[in-house]
Structures are given as C-alpha cells and as structure tokens.
C-alpha cells in the first residue's frame, strides 16, 4: 500500500515510517526541511517537500496515495489558535480529497481533554471538541464525519506522554521546570495520573491500525493507564538529584508555566479495546523506567 504520511520525520512519525516500510508498504513523507527529507530518504521513504500550511501539497500527496496518516501538528503553545486552525485546514483538505474513495485516513488525536473526572477515558468516549475554535480545531470529530462520506477514518489518540530516549515533549517540559526551580514538583497530593506509552509501541499501534482498524475506530496508544504525577516527579528528582515536593493547587500554574495546565489534570486512559481489536501488546519501557535510564538527561 502506498501511504502518504504528514509529520513523517517527527517524534512519532519517524518510527511509524519505519514500521510501515518494514511491513512492505511504500511511504511518501511530507518534509519541510532538508534535514527531514534526508532522514526520510535514508530510511527508505520517498519525500514530498512542504509543511502544514501547504494545502495544495497535502492535497496532491493524498490524491496519489492509497492511504493517509496525518501526524503533523504545529504545537504552538504560545498561540494555540494558530495550531488549531492549521490542523483543521489540513484535515479538511485530506478528507475532502479522499471523499467517496473508501481509502484509509488515520489522524493523530489525544486522550487529553476527554474529561472523565478521574475515570480513565476509553475508546467509546467521544471527543468533546467540536468546531474550529476547539482544541485541534475539532479535527477528530470533523474527520469522523467523513465515514458516512466514503472515507475510512480512524482516530489515533495518543497518550499525553509518548516517551523514549530523546523525547522533547511534555515530560521534558516538566523536567526543565524542575531543573530551573531546583525542585521536582507535583500538583497537590500527586494522585492525578497521566497515561503513557513508549514511542516504539505507539508506532507499532499505528501500523496495526492501518491494516486492521474498521472505519470510525478510535484507537488508544496507551501502555500505562495512569502514572501518578507524584511518581513522575520522584523519578525526575532521582534523575537530577533534586528534592521532590508538593506544589499547592493554586500555585501549579505559576510554578509550572504553560505545562501546568496539563500536569495538574488527570489524563488517565484505557486501551483495552484497542489491544483486543489490533492484538497489540505494548512491550517498551515504562515512563519511570525511561526517566531513570536518562531519557531526559540531555534536556
């Protein structure tokens, strides 16, 4: 199968490309820089130059592919509206291009924001994000609307931390705050939890989802249902030889900055349905094992 992948050289996208190539698929990756293009070519993929704002290029990539996996995102935390608008426009473009074809369209989403009040989110939980002004521009719900319009849409909901050696995501941001403040903090009593998955396990789930997931599926890339933030802080404290302390709920935003909006929430999730559907069993290191092994030491 010829698969067009956006975000192909990214943290999740690059190992996804590797999984697809190993499974015998032909891959064309969207690359916005020479370095990204070179990395994809070395891996064995073809390259289409462009970025998330290049809607004509994204349309052309989708037109010539048998399936599309959309993993790119601007992740502009200073101006989320920009990221949301770009995400919605890209998803709309891909879905319109694939309409009526029955071709597969897998897109990145997340378990964060499903909001179960401490209850782990499941694949059956619909995203509350609707419309262009919602998180990710409501792209998951937008894409799923196209199932009835002849698109084989599958939502890929990733854990808030997709961890591994060299990760520069949310846990790296929490670790950076700990180094800056001289203390590894956790919100309140530290019992709020984060779902987690190793990068390699997430990539394998995406490849399996391409082959096995029915149209309209919501897949959860979750290996650990919920790692308490106190355990995360303790591991970061060990990694950098820092004291570990509770941060009062009213002080979380001030202490952690932008990442506090996430670190102070319960973002637990289950992947029981995904594991059964895809026969997927995560085998990678746990989040705490990665922190202890120095995954965030280069910070």
């Amino acid at each position: 199968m010829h698969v067009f992948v956006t975000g192909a050289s990214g943290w999740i996208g690059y190992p996804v490309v590797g999984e697809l190539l190993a499974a015998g698929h032909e891959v064309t990756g969207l690359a916005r820089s020479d370095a990204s293009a070179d990395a994809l070519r070395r891996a064995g993929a073809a390259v289409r130059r462009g970025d998330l704002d290049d809607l004509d290029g994204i349309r052309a990539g989708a037109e010539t592919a048998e399936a599309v996996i959309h993993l790119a995102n601007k992740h502009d935390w200073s101006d989320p509206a920009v990221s949301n608008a770009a995400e919605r426009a890209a998803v709309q473009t891909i879905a319109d291009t694939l309409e009526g074809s029955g071709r597969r369209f897998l897109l990145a989403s997340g378990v964060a924001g499903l909001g179960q009040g401490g209850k782990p989110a499941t694949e059956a939980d619909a995203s509350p994000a609707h419309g262009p002004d919602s998180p990710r521009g409501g792209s998951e719900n937008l894409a799923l609307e196209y199932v009835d319009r002849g698109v084989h849409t599958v939502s890929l909901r990733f854990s808030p931390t997709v961890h591994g050696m060299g990760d520069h995501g949310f846990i790296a941001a929490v670790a950076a705050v700990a180094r800056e403040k001289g203390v590894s903090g956790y919100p309140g009593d530290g019992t709020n939890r984060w779902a987690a998955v190793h990068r390699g396990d997430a990539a394998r789930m995406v490849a399996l989802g391409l082959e096995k997931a029915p149209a309209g599926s919501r897949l959860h890339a979750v290996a650990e249902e919920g790692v308490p933030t106190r355990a995360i802080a303790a591991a970061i404290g060990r990694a950098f030889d820092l004291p570990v302390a509770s941060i009062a709920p009213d002080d979380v935003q001030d202490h952690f900055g932008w990442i506090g909006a996430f670190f102070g929430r319960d973002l637990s999730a289950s992947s029981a349905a995904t594991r059964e559907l895809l026969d997927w069993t995560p085998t990678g290191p746990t989040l705490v094992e990665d922190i202890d092994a120095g995954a965030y030491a280069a910070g």
Side-chain angles (χ1 to χ4, degrees):
M1 190 184 306
H2 177 205
V3 187
F4 176 53
V5 182
T6 72
S9 64
W11 176 246
I12 298 173
Y14 193 71
V16 166
V17 168
E19 291 283 346
L20 296 176
L21 292 170
H25 298 293
E26 177 187 351
V27 178
T28 297
L30 187 69
R32 63 180 178 177
S33 70
D34 290 342
S36 295
D38 290 345
L40 290 172
R41 291 191 185 100
R42 286 195 299 270
V47 172
R48 171 174 288 279
R49 292 301 298 266
D51 58 26
L52 206 55
D53 294 320
D54 178 15
L55 297 181
D56 288 340
I58 289 173
R59 183 180 299 105
E63 283 175 344
T64 57
E66 295 169 274
V68 178
I69 301 178
H70 174 55
L71 301 173
N73 192 284
K74 288 191 173 184
H75 296 301
D76 185 352
W77 304 114
S78 65
D79 192 351
V82 171
S83 294
N84 295 342
E87 173 70 359
R88 188 175 181 90
V91 167
Q92 182 85 65
T93 297
I94 295 167
D96 284 344
T97 303
L98 300 181
E99 185 174 358
S101 69
R103 285 180 284 171
R104 295 173 183 264
F105 176 26
L106 283 66
L107 76 156
S109 185
V111 302
L114 295 179
Q116 295 300 304
K119 174 187 173 185
T122 73
E123 294 87 343
D125 294 321
S127 169
H130 292 271
D133 296 329
S134 62
R136 288 183 175 266
S139 59
E140 177 184 285
N141 284 314
L142 174 64
L144 289 171
E145 291 175 4
Y146 279 78
V147 171
D148 293 334
R149 297 164 66 175
V151 180
H152 191 112
T153 303
V154 176
S155 176
L156 308 168
R157 291 176 169 176
F158 294 101
S159 297
T161 174
V162 180
H163 55 86
M165 292 292 171
D167 175 22
H168 293 287
F170 281 2
I171 296 300
V174 174
V177 171
R179 293 194 304 274
E180 176 190 348
K181 303 284 187 177
V183 60
S184 183
Y186 55 87
D189 61 7
T191 58
N192 65 302
R193 304 183 302 156
W194 271 26
V197 66
H198 187 268
R199 180 192 190 197
D201 287 326
R204 189 158 46 86
M205 188 211 75
V206 174
L208 289 170
L210 175 68
E211 296 177 354
K212 295 183 177 184
S217 298
R218 304 182 188 104
L219 305 180
H220 280 197
V222 172
E224 296 180 89
E225 185 173 284
V227 185
T229 52
R230 184 167 186 166
I232 296 171
I236 292 172
R238 290 193 299 273
F240 297 102
D241 194 23
L242 295 172
V244 180
S246 169
I247 306 300
D250 289 345
D251 297 330
V252 165
Q253 194 66 51
D254 182 61
H255 180 87
F256 289 100
W258 68 267
I259 192 61
F262 297 94
F263 203 47
R265 296 165 58 192
D266 189 274
L267 302 179
S268 59
S270 167
S271 61
T274 298
R275 295 181 192 223
E276 181 177 358
L277 176 66
L278 303 181
D279 191 22
W280 172 66
T281 301
T283 59
T286 67
L287 173 59
V288 168
E289 286 172 344
D290 261 349
I291 297 173
D292 284 341
Y296 301 90

